[in-house]
Amino acid sequence: MNWPFYIAKYLDNVIAKTARSLDAFDDSFESDLRPADARFGEFQANGVLPYAKRKGANPRELANQLVTALRTCDSALTEATNLEIAGPGFINFKFLPKFYLEWLSYLSNQGELEDAAKSPIANKVVAVDFSSPNTAKQMHVGHIRSTVIGEALCRLLEFQGAQIIRDNHVGDWGTQFGILIMALRHFNIELDSDAPDALEQLEDLYRRGSALTKDDDSKLEIARIELVKLQKGDSENLALWEQINAISYQAFQSIYDQLNVRFDHVLGESFYRDKVDEVYNGLVHHEIAQESEGALVVFHPEHARYKKQPFIVRKSDGASNYATTDLATILYRIREWMTDEVIYVTDGRQQDHFQQLFLTAEKWIRHLQDHKIPNLRHVWFGTILGEDGKAIKTRSGDPIKLKDLLAEAIERSRKIVEEKNPDLTSQEREEIARLVGLGAIKYADLSQNRTNDYVFSWDKMLSLDGNTAPYLLYAIVRIRSIFRKAGHKPGEGEEFATAPETSEELSLARQLLLFSSALEQATSDLRPHFLCTYLYELAGSFSTFYNSNKVVVEDSAVKARRLMLCARTLTVMEAGLSLLGIETLEKM
């Protein structure tokens, strides 16, 4: 048979169906299937124990009934696995070598892998809100986390069949524009959009303008007036605002191009400025919001903290804020994009904001006819730390510019490449340095549990040893080298393949089987580090296999099955790194 890619889901369904056919089980039974310790098999079903405890039954007897039924009701499963009961009632599934031959033969190329992976969440519409820098400012090191985590989540969800809408909700409508417009006129400066350092000039101008407003109250009042004029549609101020944003977008896009990140929409706060009245009116009409000290606020009496902590949706001076535009954004995404889910990728300091936002949105949207409340999820992350354990900064104490960080990653990689392989052409060195440097930056971030802080270390992230991008990229290069020496392309020479035999072959085949489980775990928790850990373990399994099992041998059957294992490892490694937004290469 053609075995399904999501083998754990298949087993779970078989177990559930079989249990329902037995009098001893009812619909409350869950298999609790999970990857097993390699000594006992590929998967272990642990659900009999808690079920037996609830029912006051003997778990070992229930497990025996279930295993007996599984052996008789699914002949394909019986022929492919050894079923064993361990301990008080754990059920172990150990796949036989002939199963691996069938399964590996089925997923013979990247296209088949991609097609097989698209079943779990097909057609689900998911908007992912990530990166979101403020215009008139350079992107700094803090933006790397939202950008690469957001892009990886988009790719993971797309790979499994979701319809993804990437939205860059930039900060392009705030008090900084009043200060900038005031400073432009005070210092009599004309913006040069074509200047290579145009955004740096804007940032410097903002600093000078801010200093003026602090030293001179009249300049602060002028900045406020300029902001009001902008918000009321003054043509001259709007033209300056558009020019400032255009300069910003151009600089942002340069970084996104480097990181291979794209967006379907760039809808900043300004896009929703004419949509906030519906938010105010709706919250008041449905008695969700109330006046408090001149501001419009929302309290949540059912929440221990938010029953007293206000969620301000309109400031006392009548101005909107993040809460207002975020509520308008949710409604827009429901109406225009018909979203089933919205994912926000921001740092952990915004947890309170999003918890209050989601509570408020759910109360408001349920009053609107024909509007389905999407699943709202806040994917938050920790801080990048320097070796001193504090938030990483330059020696002067300023945030590190993201473009400088990326440039340094490429330069450091170039030096390593020149040292390790001086025979490469300059063009090859440049391309390898770019791919390794940028890949190292991304992987160093994605391989961390996103809710943890992590210490930034150049030496660690660029190392060819350990859980790093260079280590994984080198594993791919080594596999490609095997095929070049064998005179085959990946996927060729497999015609006479037999089932895996050696312990290293079986271990590698087992690891390949668990790719789908790693994908499901990374997606359900929206934590890409689960995929990173899997890829690192797969690379380790391949290294063990390769060091103990010569691939190009005289025996055609042995050679064919080992070429098959190499090809499938290459397919999964390249697919996995692509899901993380990391490009691979032919040689290093």
Side-chain angles (χ1 to χ4, degrees):
M1 67 175 285
N2 283 341
W3 291 96
F5 175 70
Y6 293 97
I7 196 72
K9 191 178 293 293
Y10 167 78
L11 288 179
D12 191 53
N13 290 335
V14 170
I15 295 168
K17 181 180 178 180
T18 305
R20 286 196 297 269
S21 71
L22 301 174
D23 293 337
F25 293 89
D26 60 32
D27 290 344
S28 69
F29 171 73
E30 295 180 358
S31 69
D32 189 21
L33 189 77
R34 61 188 67 183
D37 186 307
R39 294 172 297 172
F40 307 121
E42 280 65 56
F43 295 97
Q44 185 176 81
N46 299 332
V48 170
L49 274 72
Y51 179 81
K53 184 177 181 180
R54 291 197 307 272
K55 301 296 182 179
N58 183 313
R60 184 87 185 186
E61 290 180 4
L62 287 179
N64 268 313
Q65 288 187 50
L66 185 53
V67 167
T68 300
L70 285 168
R71 285 172 175 156
T72 57
C73 77
D74 193 311
S75 58
L77 182 64
T78 302
E79 292 174 3
T81 63
N82 279 331
L83 288 174
E84 295 179 351
I85 300 172
F90 302 114
I91 302 174
N92 291 326
F93 294 79
K94 186 173 182 63
F95 286 96
L96 300 173
K98 65 178 183 179
F99 159 82
Y100 281 115
L101 178 59
E102 291 179 8
W103 191 81
L104 292 169
S105 299
Y106 168 49
L107 297 174
S108 62
N109 58 56
Q110 193 79 27
E112 288 184 352
L113 179 64
E114 292 175 5
D115 290 341
K118 288 193 183 302
S119 56
I121 51 178
N123 301 319
K124 182 178 181 181
V125 180
V126 183
V128 184
D129 182 328
F130 68 107
S131 194
S132 306
N134 291 321
T135 58
K137 296 180 181 178
Q138 294 185 74
M139 293 177 72
H140 57 75
V141 68
H143 290 109
I144 191 70
R145 300 218 71 183
S146 177
T147 304
V148 301
I149 292 171
E151 177 65 21
L153 294 179
C154 289
R155 291 173 179 236
L156 279 163
L157 292 164
E158 276 180 326
F159 191 71
Q160 296 178 77
Q163 297 179 28
I164 298 298
I165 300 171
R166 293 165 163 86
D167 189 10
N168 195 358
H169 188 75
V170 297
D172 64 351
W173 194 250
T175 56
Q176 74 266 34
F177 290 101
I179 293 173
L180 275 169
I181 293 170
M182 177 275 295
L184 281 166
R185 290 183 172 139
H186 176 81
F187 295 112
N188 195 26
I189 292 175
E190 286 195 15
L191 293 174
D192 180 4
S193 300
D194 296 325
D197 62 344
L199 187 54
E200 289 90 330
Q201 291 180 32
L202 274 176
E203 215 171 26
D204 180 62
L205 182 64
Y206 177 73
R207 280 193 291 267
R208 293 164 66 191
S210 294
L212 276 177
T213 61
K214 291 173 184 176
D215 295 338
D216 188 340
D217 288 344
S218 68
K219 294 295 185 291
L220 179 60
E221 182 59 26
I222 292 172
R224 287 174 179 160
I225 292 169
E226 297 290 6
L227 180 62
V228 171
K229 286 168 63 180
L230 171 65
Q231 292 176 341
K232 289 184 176 181
D234 178 81
S235 59
E236 290 185 6
N237 282 13
L238 275 173
L240 287 171
W241 171 78
E242 288 171 355
Q243 191 176 4
I244 290 167
N245 285 332
I247 290 169
S248 304
Y249 296 152
Q250 186 175 357
F252 297 161
Q253 191 59 49
S254 174
I255 288 175
Y256 294 140
D257 288 344
Q258 271 193 289
L259 295 174
N260 198 16
V261 169
R262 67 175 181 83
F263 294 94
D264 300 300
H265 302 279
V266 181
L267 301 180
E269 295 166 49
S270 64
F271 180 78
Y272 301 96
R273 64 184 185 270
D274 61 351
K275 299 172 177 60
V276 295
D277 284 344
E278 185 175 3
V279 175
Y280 304 142
N281 296 336
L283 294 177
V284 171
H285 176 72
H286 296 294
E287 300 181 346
I288 297 168
Q290 63 190 65
E291 293 279 346
S292 177
E293 299 180 12
L296 188 64
V297 303
V298 177
F299 292 101
H300 296 285
E302 75 282 4
H303 195 282
R305 189 147 44 91
Y306 303 142
K307 63 184 178 183
K308 294 183 178 180
Q309 181 177 317
F311 188 53
I312 302 172
V313 295
R314 186 176 64 208
K315 295 188 286 188
S316 57
D317 62 2
S320 60
N321 60 5
Y322 289 127
T324 327
T325 53
D326 280 349
L327 286 165
T329 302
I330 290 173
L331 185 58
Y332 180 84
R333 288 167 174 164
I334 293 171
R335 285 176 173 169
E336 299 298 322
W337 300 342
M338 307 294 288
T339 50
D340 299 302
E341 185 166 292
V342 182
I343 295 169
Y344 299 82
V345 187
T346 77
D347 71 72
R349 292 171 297 179
Q350 297 187 45
Q351 288 181 77
D352 271 9
H353 169 77
F354 281 103
Q355 287 173 18
Q356 290 175 290
L357 174 68
F358 296 168
L359 286 170
T360 305
E362 287 164 6
K363 289 178 179 178
W364 175 39
I365 301 300
R366 72 165 62 109
H367 288 286
L368 305 180
Q369 290 185 347
D370 302 322
H371 286 72
K372 182 181 68 174
I373 302 173
N375 184 27
L376 302 172
R377 303 179 71 176
H378 181 209
V379 173
W380 62 273
F381 50 81
T383 304
I384 303 176
L385 305 176
E387 294 183 2
D388 59 359
K390 298 178 182 178
I392 188 169
K393 294 182 183 295
T394 63
R395 290 181 179 177
S396 64
D398 296 325
I400 296 173
K401 305 304 182 206
L402 184 50
K403 72 172 188 177
D404 294 339
L405 184 80
L406 300 181
E408 185 170 354
I410 294 170
E411 179 58 31
R412 285 175 177 264
S413 295
R414 182 185 293 108
K415 291 178 180 177
I416 295 172
V417 171
E418 289 172 348
E419 179 184 329
K420 298 284 186 182
N421 199 343
D423 296 331
L424 294 170
T425 66
S426 60
Q427 185 177 357
E428 288 174 329
R429 285 198 299 269
E430 290 299 318
E431 182 65 1
I432 293 170
R434 182 183 70 82
L435 293 179
V436 172
L438 297 178
I441 288 282
K442 292 180 181 181
Y443 192 84
D445 196 297
L446 294 170
S447 61
Q448 311 296 324
N449 186 338
R450 61 172 168 76
T451 52
N452 294 343
D453 298 340
Y454 76 93
V455 176
F456 187 93
S457 167
W458 285 115
D459 290 341
K460 182 178 179 181
M461 73 173 59
L462 291 170
S463 173
L464 281 167
D465 298 313
N467 190 12
T468 67
Y471 173 73
L472 298 183
L473 291 170
Y474 181 71
I476 288 173
V477 167
R478 185 160 62 165
I479 297 172
R480 290 203 168 276
S481 175
I482 292 170
F483 280 101
R484 284 196 295 271
K485 290 177 182 177
H488 289 294
K489 293 179 180 178
E492 294 180 346
E494 301 176 0
E495 294 81 6
F496 304 105
T498 53
E501 290 183 13
T502 70
S503 61
E504 296 85 9
E505 290 172 349
L506 288 165
S507 179
L508 179 56
R510 176 185 187 275
Q511 192 64 26
L512 288 166
L513 181 72
L514 296 178
F515 179 43
S516 61
S517 296
L519 281 178
E520 289 184 301
Q521 189 176 22
T523 305
S524 62
D525 292 350
L526 299 179
R527 294 179 189 269
H529 81 278
F530 287 123
L531 177 57
C532 296
T533 301
Y534 167 81
L535 293 173
Y536 174 57
E537 292 173 352
L538 176 60
S541 291
F542 178 80
S543 181
T544 301
F545 154 78
Y546 182 66
N547 291 336
S548 303
N549 297 262
K550 188 176 179 181
V551 175
V552 183
V553 294
E554 292 297 326
D555 188 318
S556 59
V558 174
K559 178 182 175 182
R561 74 168 183 255
R562 291 179 181 172
L563 284 173
M564 176 184 283
L565 285 165
C566 289
R568 300 305 177 273
T569 303
L570 179 64
T571 295
V572 171
M573 289 288 294
E574 290 193 325
L577 286 174
S578 177
L579 292 175
L580 299 172
I582 296 173
E583 297 178 73
T584 58
L585 28 72
E586 295 282 339
K587 58 183 178 179
M588 287 174 66

